[in-house]
Amino acid sequence: MTSMAPSLYYRRGLNPIQVEQARQRHGSNALTQGERSGFFKQFLASFGDPIIKVLLCALAINIVFLFRDFDWFETVGIAVAIFLATFVSTLSEYGSESAFIKLQQDAASIQCRVRRAGMAASVPIDEVVVGDVVLLQAGERVPADGVMVEGSLHLDQSALNGESAEVEKKPAAGEAGKADLAAPNWLFRGSVVCSGEGAMEVLAVGDKTFYGGMAREMQEETRESPLRLRLGGLAKILSRLGYCAAALVAVADLFNAFFLSNHFDPAAISALFAQPSLVLEHILHAVTLAITVVVVAVPEGLPMMITVVLSSNMRRMLKDHVLVRKLVGIETSGSLNILFTDKTGTLTRGRLEVTHFLAGDGREYKTAATLRSQKGLWRQVEDCCRYNNQAVISPQGPLGGNATDRALLAFALPQSTKGEVQVARRVPFDSANKYAAVTLEDGRTFVKGAPEKLLESCTKYVDGEGRARPLDSLKLLKLRWKELTAQAVRVLVLCQSAVPVGEGGGRFSDLTLIGLVGIRDEVRPQAKQAVRQAQAAGVQVVMITGDNRDTAAAIARDVGLLREAAPGAILESGELAAMSDSQLKDALPGIRVVARALPQDKSRLVKAAQELGLVAGMTGDGINDAPALKKADVGFAMGSGTEVAKEAGDIVILDDNFQSITRAILYGRTIFKSIRKFIVFQLTMNLCAVGVSVIGPFIGIDTPVTVMQMLWINIIMDTLAGLAFAGEPPLEEYMEESPKRRDEPVLTRSMVHQIVCMGVFTVGLCVAFLKVDLFKHLFRIELGEQYFMTAFFALFIFTGILNSFNARTPRVNLFANLGGNRAFVFIMAAVAGVQLLLIYFGGSLFRVAGLTLRELVTVLLISTLVLPVDLLRKAALRRKGITPDI
């Protein structure tokens, strides 16, 4: 930004012609937003999901051979699964983006006051132009970059630089000077006026502001999410397994057609190969069977289930004050290894409060309520805080002044304003003098200021009755002052002076001490527990703050980040800058606090963590946080933060509370576990379906499961089971587990063990049911096969339903935490109900005939065998010391 002098017309402001000329020359104050993808474009992008790609391949193969068997049901089923998964995913993310855009529109509608053609006018922030004179007072946000031309202001620039301390801004003579946050006359968009009144001339708008420059850095793409990476690995495994199984089935079918059927007779085999049309028919049959295996083996319900579970949990999280902008950000939260967090407003309340009051006799009071019992002393405290203060009382609480003034007034807020005394003379606080004083019309003079300025001059103190007594506890008070300072508490002295304001030239003697006041941005009540919970979950929490080393260390100790004075646990920005990238990576596991942090420090820390293979999270609310929020695997933007920070983040924490972040981590872990449970259920059923379909022809049953029956099975495996597993409750025990690696496979050894064991057992049970004569005679085989095949269809479905309970929990108790997912019970009961309806009313369409009550009970009893078998499997694993990691 170039340096320039303020124009000469600032006293009157711009006229309409000058406003239009400035807009044409320098542009508007609106920030350029990245082009938002339309719904259709986002919908097409959803097809890049790894599992969706596998399904598309299966769909294409199915379509190629569609006209041979006219198997519309399977083809339509896959197409519907692909459409629903991509459509719901796009709809959910598009909806959350729309909610975020509404937040941005609300921010853009903010009005600001400008001076134009000699008159004050209110205009939307986007209509401010270069050359405008903006009028500012307490509580207003600076709308653009420029220089002070009138008045004096105290600003909060924490949104830009992370520094919680207020800065004073005044006009400067001559050139505007360099555009720097530390410059005493420059104001920057995004800063908030804490106290004072003044006017600024706008020298930069829109993307040319410091704020807008940070926003432009948000355009770079972030790396692939852990979930997408894991699903890519799963897709490769499933596709390879599917193709291998298909090849084996095709070879087995051809071997059966060419050799087994001809009893290895060379003459018969030669005669078969002499008929090309017959050979071609066998080959097409083998290929068709192979394609069926591929289609059945692919878990087409997985994308739909992931979308459903992410979307349903997005709504749950909103109740916990967590707004999800990007669906994949939910699951990524559960994979966090390291979290870089702001201090102000996240771990702390974000506002100064009086936390200690130390009377002259050494007694300490934690609250105003306990101090009020000392009526004489309280009157002095109340009057000093009330009158020696530039904040004012409003219906909403203290208003104006600086943060310290508002904290003191909030502490001693009077019960009524009756009997108010007028101020005769005032000396406002000045950082050079380190005190503020006021003389009232009744003759009393109150002084407040730094202990090093006033405490030595105190010779008396006010007791509980309001009487002055000799001050004998000065040594004790000094000791306590030093202790409070070490705890990041700012200490002020309140006292009375016999000398009116202005006399003595700022030198004091014979002061009467009212008390020492400790002020601090207090730690949130839930922060300590939330940090402990995150650490127990294996997440390394690193606090990044613009505060000095001592203040940062005190807050870190309070929230439990620093339990011991470990070397390297606290670093300042300068120390960080002196490290090479490799040194930083070596030191990163031991870092807990970064003090005096600069914006580039945050991005560098995130990059170092990612290069170490960690899943990195970042919290922030200011423009200075936005690049790191964007770069992190998951960015948590604070709800009270800037629009740029929210745009950079994946998740918005609406209540600015660190505890909400730990809830997001818990939800993320719950989601990944739900996905794994669903995969166990679906792959077990897929293995059973493939096994029965392949083995059936070799045992004399060409179609053990019909096309219509398979369609119903796919509906259970895909849509209904996805909805059932999506409702799994978040359990606090998940926060006691270590984070998953970013590239950790979706399928674990214990999952494969369960899929193979239960899949093979179910296949064996189904094959035995089809082949053993004992079972046939239980279901009126003498009247035809319709009752027996109906019983087999029921067996297949009921074993699948009961296997869903096995897959839902790794515990021996199948009903553990079932009350937290009532939808699961309802959906599985509904599946069983529909199955019963199909048995009795499905007719020839589903190849069923009504079973007697005895036959139905028999099928149910045989189906329940999957329960004790899986319980034995779980018990065997536990005896070996293997804990299922679903």
Side-chain angles (χ1 to χ4, degrees), residues 66-116:
L66 170 67
F67 298 102
R68 182 176 184 274
D69 291 323
F70 213 68
D71 185 4
W72 286 96
F73 296 108
E74 187 66 52
T75 305
V76 171
I78 296 175
V80 169
I82 293 173
F83 173 77
L84 288 177
T86 51
F87 183 79
V88 174
S89 175
T90 306
L91 193 64
S92 298
E93 202 150 304
Y94 191 84
S96 64
E97 279 293 315
S98 298
F100 169 69
I101 287 172
K102 180 64 168 61
L103 289 175
Q104 286 185 312
Q105 290 172 344
D106 291 343
S109 66
I110 294 173
Q111 299 281 313
C112 58
R113 296 177 300 122
V114 297
R115 187 184 294 154
R116 288 184 177 172

Side-chain angles (χ1 to χ4, degrees), residues 839-854:
I839 289 172
Y840 293 102
F841 301 101
S844 59
L845 182 63
F846 282 89
R847 198 185 67 182
V848 292
L851 299 177
T852 66
L853 180 60
R854 181 189 62 79

Side-chain angles (χ1 to χ4, degrees), residues 404-417:
T404 301
D405 281 342
R406 293 192 294 275
L408 289 171
L409 189 56
F411 177 73
L413 201 63
Q415 302 299 313
S416 71
T417 55

Side-chain angles (χ1 to χ4, degrees), residues 535-604:
Q535 291 174 329
V539 180
Q540 179 186 346
V541 181
V542 180
M543 185 180 81
I544 303 179
T545 177
D547 289 333
N548 63 50
R549 190 186 197 99
D550 293 337
T551 301
I555 296 295
R557 279 192 293 270
D558 276 2
V559 298
L561 286 177
L562 286 177
R563 295 174 186 170
E564 299 177 2
I570 305 177
L571 292 179
E572 288 192 347
S573 180
E575 297 172 276
L576 206 64
M579 290 181 173
S580 66
D581 288 346
S582 61
Q583 288 174 326
L584 175 57
K585 291 174 188 176
D586 291 339
L588 189 58
I591 298 175
R592 295 295 178 270
V593 178
V594 179
R596 295 293 189 196
L598 299 174
Q600 56 266 34
D601 295 333
K602 301 175 182 180
S603 294
R604 189 181 176 209

Side-chain angles (χ1 to χ4, degrees), residues 301-302 304-313 316 667 669-685 715-730 734 751 754 799-810 814 816-818 820-828 831 874 886:
L302 183 56
M304 179 65 184
M305 184 271 168
I306 291 172
T307 301
V308 169
V309 73
L310 290 176
S311 301
S312 63
N313 279 277
R316 282 189 191 178
Y667 276 111
R669 294 189 173 189
T670 303
I671 287 167
F672 191 53
K673 286 183 177 292
S674 297
I675 292 170
R676 279 182 159 175
K677 291 174 183 179
F678 174 77
I679 288 172
V680 169
F681 165 75
Q682 190 174 51
L683 292 185
T684 302
M685 282 198 77
I715 290 174
I716 297 172
M717 288 193 299
D718 302 342
T719 309
L720 297 177
L723 292 171
F725 283 99
E728 283 296 285
Y734 297 160
M751 290 172 66
Q754 182 170 358
T799 54
I801 293 172
L802 294 172
N803 258 326
S804 71
F805 285 86
N806 290 331
R808 198 193 66 82
T809 177
L814 297 181
N817 304 303
L818 191 57
N821 188 7
R822 295 178 182 176
F824 184 91
V825 179
F826 175 79
I827 290 171
M828 290 305 163
V831 170
K874 290 175 180 176
I886 293 177

Side-chain angles (χ1 to χ4, degrees), residues 777-798:
H777 293 297
L778 291 174
F779 299 98
R780 294 177 283 171
I781 192 68
E782 64 277 2
L783 298 180
E785 286 194 344
Q786 66 270 28
Y787 299 108
F788 177 65
M789 295 310 297
T790 300
F792 173 74
F793 180 38
L795 174 71
F796 192 99
I797 297 298
F798 289 133

